Amino acid sequence: MMIKEASLREDPDLRGELAFLARGCDFVLPSRFKKRLKSFQQAQVSSQPLASYVSAILKYNKNSMFMHFFSQACGCPLYWKAPMFICAGGERTGFVSVHSFIATWRKLLHSCYDDASKFVYLLAKPGCNYLEQEDFIPLLQDIVDTHPGLTFLKDAPEFHSRYITTVIQRIFYTVNRSWTGKINMTELRRSNFLQTLALLEEEDDINQITDYFSYEHFYVIYCKFWELDTDHDLFIDPKDLARYNDHASSSRIIERLFSGAVTRGNSVQREGRMSYAEFVWFLISEEDKKNPTSIEYWFRCMDMDGDGVLSMFELEFFYEEQCERMEGMGIEPLPFQDLLCQMLDLVKPECPGKITLRDLKRCRMAHIFYDTFFNLEKYLDHEQRDPFDLDSDGPEPSDWDKYAAEEYEILVAEETANEQLREG
């Protein structure tokens, strides 16, 4: 049965709504877009023997035999199936014929020589050799609809877009090292995204895939945002953000967050609001200052003149507020000159008196450095420890993974206690 609908990319209403996500806005996936995905799942093609195999694959048949056939025939992970279906014309017609499927695959093999180039070819807009945020939506909606670890979301469609938004932001946070908002093939090759995507086929518990896809991580991020977003309009202002972690962050660093230093476009500066998508970046950066993207994130905030160097003036500007807050708590702060000597000894900049992004990445102490200047609670916590007492070299969870696991346990315990109170 053919589905006569306009192409997603030719529909101005849908194209506009998808563009909102690229600007960091949240939205609920349009019903028409969902219909196309559903028609993809229910697609029927010719009854020829080969066609029956392809039909079963493209209809998301969960039979392991067909999954095995798909990977054997095309050499692609299972969750590439939605982009392949769309690339072969399924989005326009509601089904994919054997002819169009084979023609698309031959064309792909002719022009693409590794997984990264194939993936970009399948997802990117015509004529583009990079991926933007909205390009990931069909892939992720398919994961939401078909992964066994997310079956419970079928009864909560309002959370589909929230989860998808979170995963997209985590992808760009980790993979888009150039901060352009466009993931190129080189960035994709250097990341672990394609390997992680392939793991979804093998792991039914999506929470075991902590990179990008964990629902528990999404739950923690969304709950933290929900607590701050008191009017629940999916935006927070500087006063809302200041309440995070009991006002641990200084007002000066919050001002910088809303200055546009780490956001694209001018909506944050003009309207003084942070979207949920932008909050994802903030939270991961705040709770894991050892992450390379986090180091870049906070450097952009502290580098007020944008010259690529943290001057002594900029360091003193941020430390002044820390001193005022400590004095208000009855704590005698360290004089700036003494603190400066400590920080220079900690970072050991290549150029005396000037701290660069390269210095902070090289020293492995960026988290202590940043907390000293704009997070009082963590700064005082570091003061009780030996800053050179480094973690073991063996593999261990990142600071973000540890934070998300701890917060998820707290949230679950709170919800369990509330349910017991309601029942009692």
Side-chain angles (χ1 to χ4, degrees):
M1 176 180 179
M2 295 184 61
I3 308 296
K4 295 183 179 180
E5 290 184 300
S7 168
L8 176 63
R9 303 196 191 286
E10 296 174 356
D11 187 326
D13 295 331
L14 289 178
R15 189 170 66 245
E17 288 181 276
L18 295 181
F20 275 74
L21 179 64
R23 295 201 296 268
C25 298
D26 204 296
F27 68 99
V28 176
L29 289 174
S31 59
R32 284 171 290 174
F33 185 67
K34 290 180 180 177
K35 285 181 180 178
R36 288 173 195 152
L37 288 168
K38 186 175 181 181
S39 68
F40 166 37
Q41 293 173 309
Q42 297 174 343
Q44 295 183 359
V45 291
S46 171
S47 60
Q48 299 173 18
L50 176 60
S52 65
Y53 278 120
V54 177
S55 173
I57 294 165
L58 297 183
K59 286 194 295 184
Y60 297 11
N61 193 307
K62 294 185 179 181
N63 188 300
S64 60
M65 178 182 68
F66 292 113
M67 292 183 181
H68 181 71
F69 178 86
F70 181 82
S71 61
Q72 288 291 316
C74 302
C76 293
L78 172 66
Y79 287 101
W80 287 34
K81 60 187 185 294
M84 289 187 69
F85 179 88
I86 293 172
C87 190
E91 180 187 23
R92 295 188 300 273
T93 63
F95 68 88
V96 171
S97 68
V98 175
H99 174 76
S100 63
F101 177 80
I102 293 175
T104 299
W105 187 247
R106 284 177 175 172
K107 187 176 180 181
L108 180 147
L109 292 178
H110 180 73
S111 57
C112 304
Y113 302 98
D114 66 353
D115 284 348
S117 58
K118 292 175 185 176
F119 188 78
V120 172
Y121 179 91
L122 290 172
L123 269 70
K125 301 176 184 68
C128 295
N129 61 355
Y130 55 81
L131 298 176
E132 296 180 299
Q133 293 191 10
E134 65 267 27
D135 296 330
F136 285 87
I137 294 174
L139 167 76
L140 297 176
Q141 184 64 53
D142 176 39
I143 292 172
V144 169
D145 291 339
T146 65
H147 193 277
L150 294 172
T151 52
F152 60 92
L153 278 181
K154 291 181 179 179
D155 297 327
E158 67 275 12
F159 282 105
H160 289 193
S161 68
R162 313 290 195 263
Y163 174 79
I164 289 172
T165 298
T166 305
V167 175
I168 288 175
Q169 298 312 314
R170 294 192 67 186
I171 292 169
F172 275 77
Y173 185 91
T174 302
V175 180
N176 188 210
R177 306 299 301 125
S178 61
W179 286 67
T180 59
K182 300 175 181 178
I183 294 176
N184 58 45
M185 283 179 268
T186 300
E187 290 176 326
L188 203 56
R189 292 185 184 107
R190 291 175 177 173
S191 74
N192 70 341
F193 176 71
L194 293 180
Q195 295 89 330
T196 305
L197 180 63
L199 289 176
L200 292 176
E201 181 178 353
E202 305 170 9
E203 180 58 67
D204 287 349
D205 184 359
I206 203 163
N207 293 314
Q208 296 299 315
I209 314 292
T210 55
D211 290 344
Y212 313 110
F213 298 103
S214 169
Y215 184 83
E216 291 180 357
H217 287 201
F218 154 70
Y219 185 73
V220 168
I221 296 170
Y222 191 69
C223 285
K224 292 297 179 183
F225 183 81
W226 189 258
E227 291 171 2
L228 301 176
D229 182 22
T230 52
D231 59 2
H232 304 313
D233 65 347
L234 297 175
F235 287 92
I236 57 175
D237 60 25
K239 291 182 179 179
D240 294 326
L241 187 61
R243 290 189 290 105
Y244 176 72
N245 200 18
D246 197 22
H247 297 268
S249 298
S250 71
S251 61
R252 292 184 180 184
I253 200 67
I254 290 175
E255 288 176 6
R256 288 292 296 160
L257 288 168
F258 283 84
S259 71
V262 289
T263 55
R264 300 184 186 89
N266 57 10
S267 60
V268 172
Q269 305 97 289
R270 185 178 65 250
E271 302 174 6
R273 302 193 304 169
M274 176 182 285
S275 71
Y276 171 68
E278 291 157 347
F279 179 79
V280 174
W281 285 61
F282 162 78
L283 187 62
I284 298 174
S285 298
E286 172 57 33
E287 298 303 335
D288 188 358
K289 294 189 177 77
K290 299 175 185 176
N291 184 293
T293 303
S294 176
I295 296 174
E296 297 166 5
Y297 186 94
W298 294 117
F299 187 90
R300 286 171 174 242
C301 289
M302 292 189 70
D303 183 19
M304 295 187 295
D305 56 8
D307 64 352
V309 173
L310 298 184
S311 66
M312 302 307 103
F313 168 78
E314 288 166 330
L315 298 183
E316 187 172 14
F317 172 78
F318 286 102
Y319 187 63
E320 279 179 355
E321 185 175 353
Q322 295 287 74
C323 291
E324 294 172 2
R325 298 180 72 185
M326 282 188 278
E327 289 171 352
M329 297 169 61
I331 301 173
E332 184 178 355
L334 196 66
F336 176 70
Q337 289 300 325
D338 294 341
L339 177 100
L340 183 59
C341 290
Q342 284 188 2
M343 292 298 102
L344 293 176
D345 187 51
L346 189 77
V347 177
K348 293 181 174 58
E350 293 180 350
C351 181
K354 295 182 179 180
I355 296 176
T356 65
L357 179 61
R358 179 179 176 180
D359 294 328
L360 289 170
K361 287 185 174 181
R362 176 177 46 80
C363 75
R364 299 178 63 191
M365 298 289 182
H367 58 297
I368 296 174
F369 177 85
Y370 287 137
D371 288 335
T372 298
F373 291 101
F374 54 77
N375 189 303
L376 184 57
E377 179 180 327
K378 292 182 179 180
Y379 166 63
L380 295 175
D381 183 53
H382 292 314
E383 285 292 286
Q384 308 301 317
R385 306 179 184 180
D386 180 358
F388 295 96
D389 183 18
L390 297 176
D391 297 328
S392 62
D393 293 331
E396 65 172 25
S398 67
D399 283 357
W400 167 252
D401 287 340
K402 289 185 282 189
Y403 167 82
E406 292 169 2
E407 289 298 319
Y408 182 75
E409 289 184 5
I410 293 172
L411 289 168
V412 170
E414 290 176 351
E415 183 62 26
T416 301
N418 289 336
E419 288 181 1
Q420 291 175 346
L421 285 174
R422 287 193 293 267
E423 293 173 358

